[in-house]
Amino acid sequence: MAKRDIPEINAGSMADIAFLLLIFFLVTTTMDTDSGVFRKLPEKPDPNAPKPDVKQRNIFEVNINRFDELLIEDEPAKITDVRQMAIDFIDNGAGRSAEGKICDYCEGAKEESSSEHPAKAIISVQTAQTTSYGMYISVQNELLAAYTELRNRYARKYLTGKYRGLSYEDLLKIQKADKENLDVKAAIEKVKKAYPEILADAKPIK
């Protein structure tokens, strides 16, 4: 009796289909990626600078509670108030720097209850453990914007030579394009010295 032939299964087309399905899933599947927030970090303090003798009047207290409610100097405030209140505090100019220099470029009210000099003005931000990250970033951005506004004004008024009339932000753009430019570096340092950025994060409250 003749042996019966067993038909073979053609698996070639199945491999093609599997390959096409794999490509389809690779193209259409979305993957979660970590996202960040673009933000300029506070400037690094000089490690060789002596520890200052801080008076309470030279501390600008910003508190964000667990409900994202804002208190500035123990008074309720809105996020839109932060920048101007910080400017008024930093630019008060009611006294002298640690070196005994008067702030002759300050345009503040010179109130005895506010900061003595921009070089002594400290901004302290305190949050709660459940404060939202978004609120914290919003407050920090407003505080940094206050320093930038003061530095822009100082640069336009007091810089001389080829950088006369330029803002602090203009100087940063020039430095970004030419990092070896020592003149613009010196101009930026002069502006920073007039309004040093002193931000401190207090221990979060529970």
Side-chain angles (χ1 to χ4, degrees):
M1 188 174 185
K3 186 177 180 181
R4 188 175 180 182
D5 293 333
I6 301 174
E8 293 182 1
I9 298 175
N10 185 2
S13 60
M14 293 180 65
D16 291 339
I17 293 172
F19 183 68
L20 289 172
L21 287 172
L22 178 62
I23 292 175
F24 173 78
F25 285 118
L26 285 173
V27 171
T28 59
T29 302
T30 58
M31 301 175 113
D32 292 334
T33 56
D34 293 332
S35 60
V37 178
F38 180 75
R39 180 180 176 273
K40 178 181 175 294
L41 294 176
E43 295 163 4
K44 186 177 180 181
D46 184 359
N48 299 319
K51 188 175 181 179
D53 182 18
V54 181
K55 296 179 181 178
Q56 185 60 38
R57 64 178 290 186
N58 291 321
I59 301 176
F60 184 72
E61 295 183 352
V62 180
N63 298 287
I64 314 170
N65 68 16
R66 61 193 179 121
F67 303 110
D68 283 352
E69 295 170 338
L70 195 60
L71 289 176
I72 298 180
E73 297 291 272
D74 295 326
E75 295 292 333
K78 299 178 181 178
I79 190 67
T80 52
D81 301 328
V82 175
R83 187 182 309 189
Q84 189 58 52
M85 292 179 74
I87 289 173
D88 294 341
F89 172 78
I90 299 164
D91 201 40
N92 185 56
R96 299 174 181 266
S97 67
E99 294 79 20
K101 295 181 179 179
I102 296 174
C103 184
D104 53 3
Y105 52 85
C106 288
E107 299 180 9
K110 294 180 172 51
E111 296 177 351
E112 291 300 320
S113 59
S114 191
S115 73
E116 297 174 284
H117 193 278
K120 289 184 176 181
I122 300 172
I123 296 180
S124 173
V125 180
Q126 186 177 50
T127 61
Q129 291 182 344
T130 54
T131 298
S132 72
Y133 188 66
M135 184 61 175
Y136 172 77
I137 290 296
S138 297
V139 170
Q140 288 282 345
N141 284 342
E142 289 300 307
L143 294 174
L144 292 173
Y147 278 106
T148 299
E149 189 170 324
L150 289 170
R151 289 175 173 181
N152 282 339
R153 187 191 74 194
Y154 179 88
R156 291 191 184 101
K157 281 191 172 185
Y158 296 100
L159 290 184
T160 57
K162 59 183 177 181
Y163 299 126
R164 182 184 180 89
L166 295 183
S167 69
Y168 173 70
E169 290 175 302
D170 292 332
L171 297 176
L172 292 179
K173 291 177 182 177
I174 295 172
Q175 186 184 49
K176 186 176 181 180
D178 183 8
K179 294 182 180 180
E180 303 301 322
N181 190 328
L182 297 180
D183 290 336
V184 73
K185 183 178 179 180
I188 289 173
E189 290 303 317
K190 181 179 180 180
V191 176
K192 285 183 177 180
K193 187 175 181 180
Y195 288 104
E197 189 178 285
I198 310 175
L199 289 171
D201 281 333
K203 185 178 179 180
I205 57 176
K206 295 183 180 181

